[in-house]
């Protein structure tokens, strides 16, 4: 158990150092990076497409990077907004890391971009412990997922600068209890703002964009309950015994935005998911697939 804790601490500490460097570099370029975390099916892609569209309507220079285990579906959807989009296919890796993000944006992120949205892999466990050098971390969940989700995933919600509730148009249909949800959020992250949104009717989209712009303009975001040192000590929600033990090193930048997708040809096999018993799994960098506007 001691070895597992030591390995994970070292991995997270290295990632934090790279994230701090990336954060400084992005700040020097006046880029505000927004890390979007949620479980699969939360509706974050639909919401992000609207946010990108509204940002462009306001004349803002925005871009998006979206990560998935497979398919380029999300990139195609986001590209409909007209914003530059890059798809990352992780090939089984359940989260992004700072070294990967640096490699992905180097040579790709267009000059003059002000807002960069990073749609992390749909997963509320692994991504929560990895700082990407973002300016703002947003955790999303839909009304269909249950009011107690913040209590089940305290790291993801406790480390958020902003919490976004999605699919609010379905709240009555599924019997969503807003008061219970708000109490759960407050318990794991006191004082964090909760925005209620709906990609179907547009509720909250402009407010979310306003919050991001305010941070870009210098407004200090909410200080989340869980700081980086807490994440290093406690790791993921499974507890300190879980160790991923992978070290990706510098991520590579792949091809052009409209060229063919490249693949490294690694075979992940059953190591696609991290288990809860502290087993180490080796992963590659995944592959980057260029976004093609639909």
């Amino acid at each position: 158990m001691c070895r597992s804790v030591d390995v994970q601490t070292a991995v997270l500490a290295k990632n934090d150092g790279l994230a701090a460097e990336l954060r400084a570099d992005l700040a020097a370029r006046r880029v505000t990076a927004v890390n979007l975390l949620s479980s699969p099916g939360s509706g974050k892609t639909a919401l992000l497409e609207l946010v990108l569209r509204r940002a462009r309507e306001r004349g803002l220079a925005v871009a998006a990077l979206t990560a998935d285990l497979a398919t380029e579906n999300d990139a195609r959807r986001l590209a409909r907004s007209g914003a530059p989009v890059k798809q990352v296919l992780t090939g089984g890796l359940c989260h992004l890391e700072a070294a990967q993000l640096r490699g992905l944006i180097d040579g790709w992120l267009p000059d003059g971009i002000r807002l960069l949205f990073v749609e992390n892999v749909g997963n509320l466990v692994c991504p929560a412990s990895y700082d990407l050098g973002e300016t703002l971390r947003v955790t999303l969940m839909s009304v269909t997922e249950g009011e107690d989700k913040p209590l089940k995933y305290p790291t993801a919600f406790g480390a958020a600068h902003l919490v976004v509730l999605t699919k609010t148009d379905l709240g009555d249909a599924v019997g969503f209890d807003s008061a219970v949800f708000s109490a759960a959020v407050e318990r794991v992250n006191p004082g964090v703002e909760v925005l209620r949104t709906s990609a179907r009717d547009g509720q909250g989209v402009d407010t979310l964009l306003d919050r991001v712009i305010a941070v870009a303009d210098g407004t200090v975001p909410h200080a989340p309950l869980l700081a980086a040192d807490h994440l290093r000590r406690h790791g993921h929600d499974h507890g300190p015994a879980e160790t991923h033990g992978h070290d990706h090193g510098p991520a590579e930048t792949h091809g052009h935005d409209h060229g063919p997708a490249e693949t490294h040809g690694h075979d992940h096999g059953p190591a696609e998911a991290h288990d809860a018993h502290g087993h180490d799994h080796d992963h590659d960098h995944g592959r980057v697939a260029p976004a093609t506007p639909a």
Side-chain angles (χ1 to χ4, degrees):
M1 171 144 336
C2 290
R3 179 183 177 277
S4 296
V5 173
D6 290 344
V7 170
Q8 184 176 16
T9 299
V11 169
L12 292 176
K14 180 179 179 180
N15 181 81
D16 288 345
L18 295 172
E21 294 175 6
L22 179 56
R23 183 175 289 108
D25 290 346
L26 290 173
R29 296 174 61 175
R30 301 179 62 83
V31 176
T32 296
V34 184
N35 185 8
L36 303 176
L37 281 69
S38 81
S39 59
S42 68
K44 67 178 179 296
T45 303
L47 184 64
L48 179 54
E49 181 183 348
L50 279 179
V51 169
L52 293 173
R53 195 181 301 276
R54 298 283 176 86
R56 284 177 51 78
E57 290 172 354
R58 297 193 196 185
L60 296 171
V62 294
L65 186 152
T66 180
D68 271 311
L69 276 68
T71 83
E72 300 173 30
N73 295 345
D74 287 354
R76 292 191 180 97
R77 292 170 61 188
L78 295 179
R80 295 185 302 207
S81 69
V85 177
K86 181 171 234 179
Q87 176 80 57
V88 185
L89 299 183
T90 66
L93 184 61
C94 61
H95 62 278
L96 290 175
E97 299 182 9
Q100 289 175 293
L101 186 60
R102 172 178 286 283
L104 293 167
I105 65 177
D106 284 348
W108 167 77
L109 190 65
D111 292 336
I113 290 296
R114 185 182 182 194
L115 305 177
L116 172 63
F117 290 89
V118 180
E119 185 181 15
N120 218 315
V121 179
N123 182 348
L124 282 176
V125 183
C126 302
S129 294
Y130 285 85
D131 184 357
L132 297 183
E134 70 264 23
T135 315
L136 193 67
R137 177 176 291 206
V138 181
T139 300
L140 305 89
M141 67 159 277
S142 73
V143 298
T144 61
E145 297 178 65
E147 301 89 345
D148 61 344
K149 196 143 200 174
L151 301 180
K152 293 179 178 179
Y153 299 91
T155 302
F157 286 88
H161 297 104
L162 181 67
V163 172
V164 174
L165 184 65
T166 64
K167 303 184 183 182
T168 54
D169 54 294
L170 300 176
D172 290 341
V174 299
F176 184 76
D177 192 322
S178 184
V180 171
F181 166 72
S182 296
V185 173
E186 182 67 16
R187 179 175 170 182
V188 300
N189 197 347
V192 69
E193 183 179 10
V194 177
L195 294 184
R196 287 162 170 77
T197 67
S198 168
R200 176 172 292 179
D201 60 25
Q203 176 192 0
V205 176
D206 286 310
T207 302
L208 173 57
L209 182 56
D210 287 340
R211 296 294 185 273
V212 175
I213 293 172
V215 171
D217 288 341
T219 298
V220 178
H222 161 78
L225 180 64
L226 297 184
D229 60 342
H230 178 94
L231 297 181
R232 281 196 297 270
R233 288 196 303 271
H234 298 285
H236 305 309
D237 293 310
H238 295 306
E242 178 176 315
T243 303
H244 301 293
H246 44 264
D247 181 7
H248 302 285
E252 298 180 76
T253 302
H254 308 278
H256 305 286
D257 290 325
H258 301 288
E262 297 183 55
T263 180
H264 298 294
H266 296 289
D267 181 10
H268 299 281
E272 179 172 317
H274 299 292
D275 63 31
H277 304 291
H279 297 155
D280 294 336
H281 302 307
D282 293 325
H283 303 280
D284 68 4
H285 301 297
R287 65 184 178 92
V288 177
T292 303

